[in-house]
Amino acid sequence: MTITIPGVGDLPPVVDHVPAGLSCWGTVDGETPISVIVEAPATADDLDLPFIAGVLAARDRLEATARAAVDDAFRDRPGFSPDGVADPGFTFHPGRDWLIRFADVAAPGLDELGVMVVFRGEEVIGVDDLADPEELHGHEDE
């Protein structure tokens, strides 16, 4: 089943490598990947497509908000520089929580998986470096 986001268009279902219980849709708008993920028992009917369309219509402003949040969160981290993130992708779920994942991060320990900024509506509620703690701190159990 294809979903349609107003102002963006149709997002076809993603069928490869999707775990049981998840439904996924995706597209690339310009150079920006857009993903929608629904976990059972929720369905596509639980998506707020007009909300998603509103976020994507304001993507430049919200991406700037996410970049500022990353800069605030990591400014004291060795090797991190302001505006050291690139390649944003937008991911949505049912409800008003969504995220931007910057796949390209120019900082040691952050460059493998990137950085994720979580929003509720238009408010940033979290920044996650997605790094494996063992990679950052060594194998403390050894």
Side-chain angles (χ1 to χ4, degrees):
M1 169 181 125
T2 298
I3 61 173
T4 303
I5 298 175
V8 174
D10 292 340
L11 275 72
V14 176
V15 293
D16 293 337
H17 310 291
V18 176
L22 291 181
S23 298
C24 303
W25 297 265
T27 193
V28 176
D29 189 31
E31 294 182 13
T32 305
I34 299 168
S35 301
V36 177
I37 301 171
V38 175
E39 185 174 0
T43 69
D45 291 337
D46 296 312
L47 293 168
D48 187 344
L49 297 175
F51 169 75
I52 294 171
V55 167
L56 293 172
R59 89 175 72 176
D60 291 342
R61 178 177 52 80
L62 293 167
E63 182 182 326
T65 298
R67 288 176 183 278
V70 170
D71 288 348
D72 286 346
F74 298 113
R75 79 174 55 155
D76 296 329
R77 187 179 192 122
F80 184 80
S81 63
D83 297 322
V85 295
D87 296 333
F90 288 65
T91 302
F92 299 92
H93 307 275
R96 302 262 167 159
D97 289 357
W98 60 280
L99 63 91
I100 296 176
R101 177 179 166 261
F102 293 100
D104 186 14
V105 183
L110 299 177
D111 52 351
E112 183 177 347
L113 298 174
V115 173
M116 177 173 65
V117 180
V118 181
F119 288 79
R120 179 161 296 137
E122 293 191 6
E123 177 186 355
V124 173
I125 61 169
V127 178
D128 188 346
D129 65 16
L130 301 176
D132 181 352
E134 289 184 358
E135 283 186 27
L136 294 178
H137 305 294
H139 298 281
E140 296 174 15
D141 294 336
E142 293 181 29

